[in-house]
Amino acid sequence: MTKSAPLRNRVTELLGVDYPIVQAPMGWIARSQLASAVSNAGALGIIETSSGELEAVRLEIAKMRELTDKPFGVNVAQMFVRDPSIVDFVVEQGVRFVTTSAGDPRQYTSTLKAAGLTVFHVVPTLSAALKAVEAGVDGLVVEGGEGGGFKNPRDVSTMVLLPLVRSKVNVPIIAAGGVCDGVSMAAAFALGAEGVQMGTRMVSALESPVHENWKNAIVSGAETDTVFLNRLSRPGLRALRTERTTRLEREENVSLAEMSRIQDLYFGGDLESSIALTGQVMGRIEGIKTVADIVEETIVVYRETIAALSASI
Amino acid sequence: MTKSAPLRNRVTELLGVDYPIVQAPMGWIARSQLASAVSNAGALGIIETSSGELEAVRLEIAKMRELTDKPFGVNVAQMFVRDPSIVDFVVEQGVRFVTTSAGDPRQYTSTLKAAGLTVFHVVPTLSAALKAVEAGVDGLVVEGGEGGGFKNPRDVSTMVLLPLVRSKVNVPIIAAGGVCDGVSMAAAFALGAEGVQMGTRMVSALESPVHENWKNAIVSGAETDTVFLNRLSRPGLRALRTERTTRLEREENVSLAEMSRIQDLYFGGDLESSIALTGQVMGRIEGIKTVADIVEETIVVYRETIAALSASI
């Protein structure tokens, strides 16, 4: 496939990539096999830390150096990585781009910025966005409640949250939640984003290391096949609907201990053994594609969608 | 204010309006005072039937004839209006456009179509959309879970649901849920809509008959200030967060009897007396505007947003 011409905006400039598409930092999954495919496709691969396995992460970052000469980033999931040496670690590895999430943006931003890194903080509400900008971040990942993963229990959809944040801040925004292709990327850009983050779409990619049972559940499932756990406690979770999560949906307080066997699910394929963090876009994903095809098709359809809109006004 | 040039697409053709913006059919509220202002602004006002007060509705439709010479529509809320004479009634009144909702699309579509009306059915999922198209509707109102009102308990956001339905059907789509301005209209059109429906935005309009306490709650509230009731039963409801609804949020089965004093809330201003159906876009609404200003600003910003996107690809 011929590669599309690069897009140019504040996000591609800050990230040093051709296309403003970022792969989400799924715990255990966002490692070098997937992230290097994303970076090599001209988008931005991200290495996770939410597994808490810092030694494994260190090795994965080293592997990234072998697998790609393109930029990549690291996510610092503050709730899971309480060791402040995480910042020194990321800086030592020579990483230039970090997303911080699930914690107070004041905790690491100034240190990371002082070390010369570009920092985007992940936010689920306007008030969190304002706090992050106040803390000095370079940009925001604005995450709508339709996305998979750890969520604010008072979830707000991308259609509402993104333009709201856009209207109140000047920093560049990467949209997360509900984005899986060029059509949703065009919508996100209409709402004020200059980049998009894809989680479930990348989990389902050919290069994703997860078990085919989960990929097949994403491909065959409907848009209504996620559940939201811990609506009235924390952390909220959006996940694949299974027998287990259908039962957990009725519990007032789902413990993270319910996720202890996550690797049996993610890599062993036992979908009832844990909680498979998955977004509503699963209903739009109809096949397993290579990361290169996902990125290229997204950019082509993004441009086609805007050209068609432009012809209609 | 100068009026924008009309938009032309399948929705404006079918509805006979200048701008493909439809006012949602809020029970008791979507009556002639508000609906005539919408129709006179070049969009489509809709008269509700979900109040079940058919005699009042008959009078309101008669009033519409005095207040506007522009097209308007009627919503047939099947769950609330079980009397089949509703169809004869709508036909007799000379209404040309009907949305049907909260029921089986096979119930009234053929009769309404045989009488020469244009019929759009409101759907919250892909499977409902396919069923409605099979029943022969002219188009769909695709309603994301972020919107206020009666909802499918398994809510799906506009960002996911709209492009999913668009990819599977050919009929024109009006997007509902999360739409309140030209930016969100541009996003909806990127996702495949040819029209948008606004509920909460119209509830807050100057010409809306509701009490200023509710309008002020919409204007001052945050994007997180709605609750979703009956997640595990039916019907789901998205409503303004109040002390009462915060309590009801924890109940497994909220009876519609909780809404019996709705008029004390809507028109008396006692926000704790009932359940104020409100969408997440309340967080984006910062002032009370005339319907004419809402419609005109939406069209202007819609065109500006697409022009700016077009310049960036």
Side-chain angles (χ1 to χ4, degrees), chain A residues 1-307:
Chain A
M1 200 185 312
T2 319
K3 284 186 79 173
S4 288
L7 274 176
R8 286 284 162 250
N9 64 26
R10 292 189 291 175
V11 166
T12 60
E13 292 298 326
L14 282 168
L15 275 51
V17 293
D18 285 344
Y19 311 119
I21 300 172
V22 176
Q23 160 243 312
M26 296 79 67
W28 288 274
I29 301 161
R31 295 196 174 177
S32 59
Q33 177 177 317
L34 177 60
S36 65
V38 176
S39 289
N40 283 329
L44 195 81
I46 301 240
I47 300 291
E48 59 88 16
T49 61
S50 58
S51 63
E53 298 177 347
L54 288 201
E55 276 317 301
V57 166
R58 188 185 299 265
L59 290 171
E60 291 297 315
I61 290 176
K63 274 195 217 168
M64 285 296 280
R65 300 275 175 228
E66 297 165 21
L67 295 170
T68 184
D69 57 1
K70 301 284 181 62
F72 63 92
V74 171
N75 171 249
V76 177
Q78 299 174 225
M79 183 170 75
F80 300 100
V81 185
R82 294 200 174 81
D83 179 353
S85 75
I86 181 74
V87 170
D88 301 330
F89 169 71
V90 166
V91 171
E92 279 162 25
Q93 301 302 317
V95 174
R96 310 308 306 151
F97 178 76
V98 165
T99 58
T100 53
S101 57
D104 188 328
R106 290 169 297 196
Q107 190 176 5
Y108 296 127
T109 301
S110 58
T111 311
L112 288 163
K113 292 276 297 167
L117 280 79
T118 297
V119 181
F120 275 50
H121 192 67
V122 181
V123 297
T125 62
L126 174 61
S127 64
L130 297 176
K131 194 169 166 187
V133 170
E134 178 79 20
V137 299
D138 297 290
L140 300 170
V141 179
V142 172
E143 197 167 66
E146 54 270 80
F150 295 95
K151 316 302 293 178
N152 188 308
R154 295 192 181 182
D155 62 315
V156 181
S157 79
T158 292
M159 193 78 171
V160 172
L161 181 64
L162 176 54
L164 176 64
V165 174
R166 174 74 296 160
S167 70
K168 303 295 183 188
V169 308
N170 294 316
V171 298
I173 294 174
I174 294 168
V179 183
C180 66
D181 65 355
V183 164
S184 43
M185 176 170 161
F189 276 50
L191 297 171
E194 290 170 64
V196 293
Q197 180 173 287
M198 296 186 192
T200 303
R201 175 86 259 188
M202 293 301 181
V203 167
S204 75
L206 186 70
E207 294 90 340
S208 163
V210 310
H211 194 279
E212 63 179 359
N213 288 358
W214 189 16
K215 291 187 189 181
N216 291 339
I218 290 170
V219 167
S220 63
E223 78 281 17
T224 46
D225 285 342
T226 69
V227 299
F228 197 106
L229 308 181
N230 280 344
R231 285 231 174 249
L232 302 171
S233 50
R234 283 184 181 269
L237 294 165
R238 186 175 294 282
L240 181 68
R241 180 178 294 280
T242 60
E243 286 181 28
R244 183 193 187 87
T245 60
T246 298
R247 175 174 54 75
L248 293 174
E249 194 180 16
R250 293 180 174 270
E251 293 190 7
E252 182 128 337
N253 198 334
V254 176
S255 159
L256 290 188
E258 293 284 350
M259 298 184 74
S260 58
R261 289 185 55 210
I262 194 77
Q263 293 180 76
D264 292 342
L265 191 159
Y266 283 2
F267 308 112
D270 179 359
L271 296 180
E272 297 294 347
S273 65
S274 186
I275 296 171
L277 302 175
T278 311
Q280 291 184 345
V281 285
M282 67 179 283
R284 299 195 59 218
I285 295 172
E286 300 188 324
I288 294 168
K289 297 181 178 185
T290 65
V291 167
D293 281 352
I294 291 170
V295 170
E296 176 63 14
E297 288 175 21
T298 297
I299 297 298
V300 168
V301 172
Y302 166 76
R303 287 187 165 124
E304 286 174 355
T305 302
I306 291 175

